[in-house]
């Protein structure tokens, strides 16, 4: 079995095991590849599946933590990834051939209006700045909906439409501190 396949099997096993666990705790079972196992991805999955999409974009896909479960749970949908980092784009293109991964900025996405069913942006604001242009771009390219996961919900609230679905959860970091994170989704 190739390394890539082993990682995907481990990710699938983790997500299935999460169904049986206390859903309020992050339980990364494999610290070596912790970025693939953050509990908030299970919450993103729950928001995502409600849209019944035929295509998805992860804007700011980084090294592919969400790409893993999208491949496992949604093998038939069209998949796109976009990141501003040349290194992350190259990594994604090598390890996730099921995705069309391109270089792009979340504030100026290289996709046509209403060209993708659902756009996901996970922990991008945490790494950069809160920019309303990013949310506007996600809405512009999406046909069905947008999902954003990050910290500090009050920073994004003014950028959201009137109606949205919100999940706030505590994420226990390595230092034993709890931090509030959110997953918000809305229809476009």
């Amino acid at each position: 079995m190739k390394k890539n396949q082993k990682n995907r099997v481990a990710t699938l096993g983790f997500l299935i095991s999460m169904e049986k666990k206390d859903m309020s705790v992050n339980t990364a079972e494999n610290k070596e590849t912790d970025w693939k196992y953050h509990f908030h991805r299970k919450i993103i999955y729950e928001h995502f599946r409600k849209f019944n999409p035929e295509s998805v974009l992860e804007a700011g896909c980084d090294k592919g933590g969400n790409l893993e479960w999208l491949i496992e749970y949604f093998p038939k949908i069209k998949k796109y990834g976009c990141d501003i980092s040349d290194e992350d784009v190259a990594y994604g293109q090598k390890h996730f051939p099921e995705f069309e991964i391109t270089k792009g900025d979340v504030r100026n996405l290289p996709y046509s209006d209403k060209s993708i069913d659902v756009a996901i942006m996970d922990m991008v604001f945490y790494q950069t700045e809160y920019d309303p242009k990013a949310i506007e771009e996600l809405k512009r390219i999406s046909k069905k909906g947008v999902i954003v996961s990050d910290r500090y919900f009050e920073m994004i609230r003014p950028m959201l439409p009137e109606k949205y679905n919100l999940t706030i959860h505590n994420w226990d970091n390595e230092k034993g501190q709890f931090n509030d994170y959110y997953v918000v989704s809305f229809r476009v």
Side-chain angles (χ1 to χ4, degrees):
M1 184 180 288
K2 294 180 182 177
K3 183 179 179 183
N4 203 17
Q5 290 171 320
K6 286 181 187 176
N7 288 343
R8 290 183 188 164
V9 169
T11 301
L12 178 61
F14 170 76
L15 289 172
I16 290 170
S17 71
M18 288 306 297
E19 297 284 342
K20 301 173 187 167
K21 294 186 179 180
D22 176 4
M23 300 304 276
S24 64
V25 180
N26 173 33
T27 57
E29 294 180 350
N30 185 341
K31 295 292 183 186
E32 195 172 311
T33 55
D34 185 52
W35 60 269
K36 294 179 187 161
Y37 298 97
H38 293 167
F39 174 70
H40 72 286
R41 291 193 176 113
K42 175 65 177 156
I43 299 170
I44 294 170
Y45 161 81
E46 293 297 333
H47 282 251
F48 182 76
R49 69 189 181 110
K50 293 175 184 175
F51 287 106
N52 195 26
E54 293 179 17
S55 60
V56 63
L57 165 71
E58 182 171 15
C61 62
D62 195 50
K63 296 271 190 289
N66 286 312
L67 307 185
E68 293 273 347
W69 64 261
L70 286 165
I71 291 166
E72 293 293 335
Y73 284 99
F74 302 93
K76 295 183 179 175
I77 68 172
K78 187 74 177 148
K79 301 167 195 71
Y80 301 90
C82 180
D83 203 277
I84 200 164
S85 162
D86 290 326
E87 179 184 334
D88 291 342
V89 169
Y91 182 92
Q93 289 171 339
K94 178 179 179 184
H95 294 282
F96 301 102
E98 301 89 343
F99 276 77
E100 287 183 28
I101 299 179
T102 59
K103 183 172 179 168
D105 186 323
V106 295
R107 295 167 296 186
N108 187 22
L109 292 167
Y111 303 96
S112 302
D113 294 358
K114 306 297 179 202
S115 59
I116 295 168
D117 284 346
V118 176
I120 298 171
M121 190 170 75
D122 180 16
M123 301 305 288
V124 171
F125 287 146
Y126 181 73
Q127 304 291 331
T128 61
E129 62 187 49
Y130 283 78
D131 189 337
K133 180 67 176 151
I135 300 298
E136 290 306 312
E137 277 294 281
L138 297 174
K139 290 194 286 190
R140 178 186 66 79
I141 64 149
S142 299
K143 287 187 252 183
K144 292 186 176 185
V146 172
I147 301 170
V148 178
S149 173
D150 224 299
R151 292 188 68 189
Y152 313 118
F153 177 71
E154 289 308 313
M155 296 290 290
I156 191 176
R157 176 60 196 107
M159 301 176 213
L160 298 176
E162 187 175 311
K163 294 178 105 177
Y164 55 86
N165 295 309
L166 174 66
T167 305
I168 295 179
H169 62 98
N170 285 321
W171 185 356
D172 184 9
N173 67 21
E174 302 107 26
K175 298 175 185 170
Q177 300 166 327
F178 284 91
N179 297 301
D180 284 337
Y181 287 81
Y182 66 85
V183 177
V184 65
S185 62
F186 55 88
R187 297 200 176 272
V188 290

